[in-house]
Amino acid sequence: MIQGIQITPGYGIGRALILQPLTSYPALLENTVLIAKHFEDIEKAAQKTKYVSGMVLENQTELSAFRTLACHLSVPAIAGAQGACNAIYTGEPVIVDGEAGIVIINPDLDTEKDYLTLQYGLPL
């Protein structure tokens, strides 16, 4: 689990895509969680998809722009998640908990079911 700062609330479940500077981004699949060190990389990748389910930013710069983008996409976002790009691999299942400001890496089936229930507003 990685701790960060809650930027926008909500729950996002999907596969991680680690974004690197000066990289072209592939067409994203449904339920992609964008993870990057720098806001510019998330901003570029987010423009190319409607499938973003969450965003994680390692640094804490450009928080206003990051919050605006997350609100525009209606996805949970966390900033200040130090080490996320090294701890998480592209394609790995992750959960962005925008309420608690955490990223759960490789959640077990019960945890994933609990978050799916929360994501869709169903009682536990």
Side-chain angles (χ1 to χ4, degrees):
M1 180 174 8
I2 295 175
Q3 181 71 48
I5 300 166
Q6 185 262 8
I7 299 298
T8 54
Y11 308 100
I13 301 167
R15 298 281 176 174
L17 176 60
I18 307 301
L19 304 171
Q20 302 295 330
L22 304 174
T23 302
S24 62
Y25 306 119
L28 304 182
L29 301 175
E30 195 168 355
N31 297 323
T32 298
V33 175
L34 302 177
I35 302 170
K37 290 184 180 187
H38 307 286
F39 171 71
E40 302 82 38
D41 297 314
I42 286 182
E43 184 179 36
K44 285 183 224 171
Q47 292 174 0
K48 297 183 178 189
T49 183
K50 61 180 179 182
Y51 299 121
V52 176
S53 62
M55 300 188 302
V56 178
L57 185 61
E58 279 198 5
N59 68 35
Q60 295 181 44
T61 60
E62 299 190 58
L63 293 184
S64 178
F66 186 51
R67 178 178 287 112
T68 300
L69 179 60
C71 288
H72 175 72
L73 296 174
S74 298
V75 297
I78 297 169
Q82 295 299 314
C85 290
N86 292 327
I88 302 169
Y89 299 98
T90 291
E92 207 166 21
V94 294
I95 296 173
V96 178
D97 183 336
E99 305 293 331
I102 60 172
V103 180
I104 301 169
I105 307 164
N106 280 319
D108 60 40
L109 190 56
D110 288 337
T111 301
E112 190 168 340
K113 284 181 183 178
D114 289 346
Y115 273 94
L116 281 169
T117 300
L118 289 169
Q119 184 178 28
Y120 293 105
L122 304 171
L124 288 175

